[in-house]
C-alpha cells in the first residue's frame, strides 16, 4: 500500500482525492498581488517632500505593512485551501481540513440516502459546485467548491445504489 493510501481499509478502493476548487483562493491571491503592486508603487513614487534620510524608513514601512497584510489575509486562505481535501472511496466519503488542528469527517456510503448538487453562476463558469449528501442521522453534509461536481455526483450515486458487498 502506498503512503497516500494509508487511510484505506482492506479491500477499499479510492475513487477520488480532491482539493476544493482554486476559485476559493482567487480573491485573496488577487488582493495579495494588488498589495504588492501598491507597495511597489508607493516605494517608487515617494513624494519629494520626504527627506533623503527618512526615505529608506518610509520605503521599509511600506513593505512591512504590505508583508503583514499579505501574511494576515493571503497566507491563511491559501493554507486553508491546501489543507482541505475530499476523499471518496468505495466505502466512505472523507473530509479533511485544518491548518494546525486537523478535522476529519467520514460518511459511510451505505448511510447516504440522497446525493445532490448546487451550482451558482460562478460555479458553472469555473466547473465546480457544492455536493450535498443527505443521511438519515444528521443534517445534509455540504462539500463546497468540488471540482467536476456533476461527475462526482454520478460516481457517488452509483456507489449508493450498488448492492452491499460482503
Amino acid at each position: 500500500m502506498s503512503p497516500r493510501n494509508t487511510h484505506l481499509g482492506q479491500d477499499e478502493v479510492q475513487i477520488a482525492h480532491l482539493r476544493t476548487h482554486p476559485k476559493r483562493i482567487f480573491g485573496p491571491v488577487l488582493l495579495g498581488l494588488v498589495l504588492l503592486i501598491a507597495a511597489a508603487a508607493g516605494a517608487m513614487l515617494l513624494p519629494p517632500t520626504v527627506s533623503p534620510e527618512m526615505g529608506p524608513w518610509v520605503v521599509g514601512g511600506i513593505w512591512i505593512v504590505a508583508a503583514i497584510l499579505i501574511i494576515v489575509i493571503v497566507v491563511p486562505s491559501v493554507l486553508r485551501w491546501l489543507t482541505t481535501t475530499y476523499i471518496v472511496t468505495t466505502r466512505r466519503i472523507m473530509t479533511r481540513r485544518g491548518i494546525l488542528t486537523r478535522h476529519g469527517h467520514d460518511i459511510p456510503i451505505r448511510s447516504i440516502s440522497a446525493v445532490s448538487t448546487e451550482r451558482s453562476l460562478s460555479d458553472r463558469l469555473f466547473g465546480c459546485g457544492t455536493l450535498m449528501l443527505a443521511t438519515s442521522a444528521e443534517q445534509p453534509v455540504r462539500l463546497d467548491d468540488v471540482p467536476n461536481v456533476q461527475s462526482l455526483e454520478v460516481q457517488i450515486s452509483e456507489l449508493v445504489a450498488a448492492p452491499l458487498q460482503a
Side-chain angles (χ1 to χ4, degrees):
M1 209 181 283
S2 70
R4 182 178 177 147
N5 292 333
T6 57
H7 57 273
L8 298 179
Q10 185 176 358
D11 298 327
E12 187 174 17
V13 177
Q14 181 173 296
I15 306 291
H17 190 135
L18 309 163
R19 180 170 283 121
T20 56
H21 195 277
K23 83 167 194 166
R24 172 84 44 109
I25 59 170
F26 181 73
V29 168
L30 185 62
L31 180 60
L33 290 173
V34 168
L35 286 169
L36 285 174
I37 291 168
M44 290 176 26
L45 303 172
L46 280 179
T49 56
V50 175
S51 65
E53 52 275 348
M54 287 302 293
W57 290 99
V58 172
V59 169
I62 290 171
W63 284 109
I64 288 172
V65 168
I68 290 170
L69 289 172
I70 288 170
I71 289 169
V72 169
I73 296 169
V74 179
V75 172
S77 297
V78 171
L79 287 176
R80 226 177 344 273
W81 176 74
L82 285 171
T83 59
T84 300
T85 58
Y86 306 133
I87 303 163
V88 179
T89 74
T90 51
R91 291 189 191 159
R92 58 195 164 139
I93 297 171
M94 299 176 273
T95 62
R96 302 291 183 259
R97 56 178 53 105
I99 298 169
L100 298 176
T101 303
R102 298 287 290 166
H103 300 277
H105 189 199
D106 290 11
I107 305 163
I109 293 290
R110 68 179 178 276
S111 72
I112 297 172
S113 57
V115 182
S116 60
T117 61
E118 190 176 279
R119 297 179 74 206
S120 66
L121 178 60
S122 67
D123 287 341
R124 291 191 307 257
L125 290 172
F126 286 110
C128 64
T130 299
L131 184 68
M132 290 173 288
L133 307 167
T135 64
S136 57
E138 49 187 76
Q139 294 283 1
V141 175
R142 291 177 56 95
L143 305 179
D144 294 318
D145 296 323
V146 175
N148 301 316
V149 71
Q150 290 174 311
S151 171
L152 191 60
E153 177 189 22
V154 169
Q155 289 177 313
I156 294 172
S157 294
E158 287 174 353
L159 289 171
V160 168
L164 289 176
Q165 298 172 350

